[in-house]
Amino acid sequence: MFLLSKIFWLVAQPLSLAFFAALAGLLMTAAGLRRSGSAFGLIGALVLFVSLFTTSGSYFLQMLEDRFPRPAAAPATLSCVIVLGGALENEVMASRGGIEFNQAADRFIETAMLAKRYPQTRILVSGGDGSFSGAYDGDAKASEAFFAAFGIGPERLIREEQSRTTFENARNTQALLAANGLSNCALVTSAFHMPRSVGLFRKLGLEVTPWPTDYRTSGTVTLGLDFTQPSLNAQLTTTAMREWIGLAAYSFGSRTDSLLPSVSPPNASPR
């Protein structure tokens, strides 16, 4: 399933869709199917235009980022902080050494800040090697040096090193929380990734305090044209499309209870 999802996403992301639609259009035109070829060419051009020159990616990513705000007041206590991997450039680190982060670095920075604020709290890092090859250290293993640099000792860390998907993050974390007798946990991940993560944790019976970070949008985006930053627009569209597809897939596969989980748990009593 993991490999199938990787292959599917290689084809389904917007720039790939535009390429394959254009290629199909050329082949159909060459085969004499001009109307079909023109239709596919137009589809490819439309996908490319929306990805590069509109705010649609930012807008739909913003919808996810706004779903779960941070707590209005910091909790009095936390027994653990769960941080989901995906922030370390493990392939680069394998060849160059050191600690190299990608755009999701805020996940670990925010976790380090929480670890300082709550000095008795355990830190559960969930993240294995999500590459095709499986030849690199995952975030859980590689992050130990990062936390040590900030005075957070290995005795506070719980490393979940096997997960490659968000579903595996939640399932494997559930087992580790039970084994260590931990509850009352904050969940740290990118804001756009929080709805899918919370939905998976809830389905497994785990209520967590969402602690979103790594925001990619301003919070004031409206739908419209934007010719100023095509490469960034394409990146945000790709991220938004991947997350919405993930939400739909997990909902369809009954791994979450709804397409877009609500802020309050389904069984929460009204105030």
Side-chain angles (χ1 to χ4, degrees), residues 22-108:
L23 179 62
L26 287 172
L27 293 175
M28 288 180 178
T29 300
L33 303 173
R34 293 189 177 181
R35 285 189 177 181
S36 297
S38 297
F40 272 89
L42 182 61
I43 291 171
L46 182 61
V47 171
L48 198 60
F49 180 84
V50 170
S51 299
L52 294 174
F53 303 119
T54 74
T55 62
S56 57
S58 298
Y59 181 80
F60 286 104
L61 201 64
Q62 181 176 267
M63 287 178 62
L64 298 177
E65 290 186 337
D66 290 345
R67 191 67 173 176
F68 287 89
R70 287 190 188 178
T77 61
L78 284 174
S79 66
C80 72
V81 177
I82 303 163
V83 56
L84 303 188
L88 287 165
E89 292 290 353
N90 299 306
E91 185 176 354
V92 175
M93 291 166 60
S95 59
R96 295 184 179 275
I99 302 172
E100 296 293 334
F101 284 101
N102 58 33
Q103 198 171 356
D106 287 357
R107 298 186 188 187
F108 284 87

Side-chain angles (χ1 to χ4, degrees), residues 177-189:
L177 291 177
N180 288 273
L182 295 172
S183 59
N184 184 29
C185 299
L187 176 63
V188 179
T189 190

Side-chain angles (χ1 to χ4, degrees), residues 72 108 148 218 245:
F108 284 87
S218 65
I245 288 175

